[in-house]
Amino acid sequence: MAEPLIPTVDLSPFTKNDEDGKKKAMEVITKACSEYGFFQIVNHGVPINLLQRALELSKVFFEYPSDEKLKSSPASNAPLPAGYNTQPQQSPDKNEYLLMFPPGSTFNVFPQNPPDFKRVLEDVFSKLTETGLLVETIVNQCLGLPPNFLKEYNHDRSWDFMVALRYFPATESENNGLTEHEDSNCISLVFQDEAGGLEVRKDGEWIPVIPAKGTLVVNISDVIQVLSNNKFKSATHRVVRPKGRSRYSFAFFYNLQGDKWVEPLPHFTKDIGESPKYRGFQYSEYLQLRLRNKTHPPTTPEDEIRITHYNITS
């Protein structure tokens, strides 16, 4: 049988101290991260019924009339627009979303309805935070970094955020849900409903990520690519909207605190005689540039700010 295009990794060996299972899983993850930055995980610690409940309640919420959804409009002082929002009219991305920071954050604006939604969102966020930490620990090992290096570097969880999304049905003329991009953060975790639509670029081709119940999609993001000096790749991905139905998904962004300095680590540069491929930057600066892509979409794709903005050209 041919290998599935997007590998699925069982994380249970990491909670059961199964050394042989861990070794095999790390080989698969290292290969996937080195080539295109994408893999899927099962036995990740997030209850499947909780993921299903979150998708069900998000469908109920997004079906409400606009005036009900707009009661959860964002506060103006948040680093990202927490609460309910839609993409700007001129955006090529066709979705609406609800964004939240960690439970207890003063930036959060939760819907009153459906009644159980806030609790479920907070439970999902807490569970995905634990999974993010586990995946970060595994990535740390796969990169050969000192134990707990990434955990200590990225210890502040206050900038993590999660987005519940609804993508509108495709029209006859266009089906773009989310334009091709890489995520700016460290590690992203995604779960989607049965409509699918998530695609990752591998060797110049777009590969669909087939939804599987209880599976989380992991993509390596820009911060890890820079720290590893391109050893691990930030995944290029997009969302294609299905015809005749909406698509629902959740994306969790295991993030970096805005004041952190990001540059290739000595482990991947001077320690091995390699030149850094990126100049250093403050993470919040990069986030602002990326946010501007959304609020003021560039006229041509070439003008969009991506991590290549910090490339050192030889």
Side-chain angles (χ1 to χ4, degrees):
M1 275 181 65
E3 278 187 49
L5 293 168
I6 309 294
T8 298
V9 180
D10 182 352
L11 294 192
S12 61
F14 296 93
T15 54
K16 295 176 180 171
N17 282 326
D18 168 4
E19 292 305 322
D20 188 50
K22 276 199 245 186
K23 183 170 177 286
K24 289 175 181 169
M26 285 171 60
E27 286 171 1
V28 173
I29 291 171
T30 300
K31 185 174 189 292
C33 292
S34 302
E35 293 178 356
Y36 55 101
F38 230 71
F39 58 98
Q40 300 178 100
I41 53 175
V42 293
N43 293 321
H44 40 64
V46 187
I48 294 175
N49 60 351
L50 180 61
L51 298 177
Q52 291 301 116
R53 184 68 178 144
L55 284 168
E56 288 165 10
L57 291 173
S58 76
K59 290 178 186 180
V60 173
F61 172 74
F62 286 122
E63 286 294 328
Y64 287 151
S66 292
D67 58 348
E68 178 67 26
K69 291 184 283 194
L70 288 168
K71 290 177 184 176
S72 308
S73 291
S76 59
N77 61 337
L80 289 169
Y84 172 76
N85 220 323
T86 57
Q87 296 292 349
Q89 190 65 41
Q90 73 274 25
S91 173
D93 299 336
K94 305 300 178 196
N95 60 65
E96 59 182 341
Y97 59 92
L98 183 72
L99 187 151
M100 68 173 286
F101 286 101
S105 169
T106 55
F107 297 131
N108 286 336
V109 186
F110 288 106
Q112 295 298 306
N113 292 302
D116 209 25
F117 200 20
K118 176 178 183 285
R119 182 188 64 78
V120 169
L121 287 171
E122 290 184 329
D123 287 352
V124 171
F125 196 110
S126 298
K127 288 292 185 185
L128 288 175
T129 303
E130 293 173 13
T131 303
L133 178 58
L134 174 58
V135 173
E136 181 185 64
T137 302
I138 296 167
V139 168
N140 191 99
Q141 289 178 268
C142 291
L143 285 171
L145 291 167
N148 293 324
F149 178 88
L150 289 176
K151 183 180 178 182
E152 289 165 12
Y153 170 76
N154 184 23
H155 61 87
D156 187 331
R157 302 268 52 85
S158 63
W159 281 51
D160 292 351
F161 66 99
M162 182 175 77
V163 189
L165 296 124
R166 176 203 192 179
Y167 293 86
F168 306 114
T171 66
E172 289 301 321
S173 59
E174 61 85 35
N175 63 358
N176 184 65
L178 198 58
T179 310
E180 71 164 84
H181 66 288
E182 299 79 39
D183 292 343
S184 60
N185 53 301
C186 295
I187 295 162
S188 302
L189 305 173
V190 174
F191 61 98
Q192 54 180 342
D193 72 354
E194 64 279 3
L198 179 63
E199 298 184 349
V200 59
R201 194 166 69 202
K202 182 184 182 212
D203 300 329
E205 291 184 32
W206 287 105
I207 310 296
V209 181
I210 308 302
K213 192 174 180 181
T215 299
L216 294 177
V217 178
V218 180
N219 69 266
I220 298 301
S221 305
D222 288 344
V223 169
I224 298 296
Q225 178 169 302
V226 172
L227 293 176
S228 71
N229 206 35
N230 280 3
K231 181 176 172 66
F232 278 6
K233 305 297 186 292
S234 186
T236 302
H237 54 290
R238 69 181 182 184
V239 173
V240 176
R241 286 147 49 217
K243 279 187 178 177
R245 64 178 297 174
S246 294
R247 172 193 186 262
Y248 299 88
S249 66
F250 279 75
F252 177 83
F253 299 90
Y254 194 82
N255 211 0
L256 190 65
Q257 200 273 339
D259 291 338
K260 293 297 287 190
W261 187 256
V262 184
E263 66 181 357
L265 298 170
H267 188 84
F268 303 105
T269 53
K270 68 179 185 183
D271 290 359
I272 58 170
E274 292 277 344
S275 299
K277 295 179 170 65
Y278 300 92
R279 55 190 171 89
F281 56 91
Q282 190 175 36
Y283 183 60
S284 58
E285 169 195 276
Y286 180 44
L287 266 193
Q288 288 304 312
L289 293 171
R290 288 288 300 262
L291 196 55
R292 188 169 175 78
N293 290 339
K294 294 285 188 187
T295 57
H296 300 78
T299 49
T300 64
E302 293 76 27
D303 293 332
E304 186 177 10
I305 296 292
R306 296 169 105 141
I307 200 61
T308 49
H309 179 71
Y310 298 102
N311 276 4
I312 295 175
T313 49
S314 51

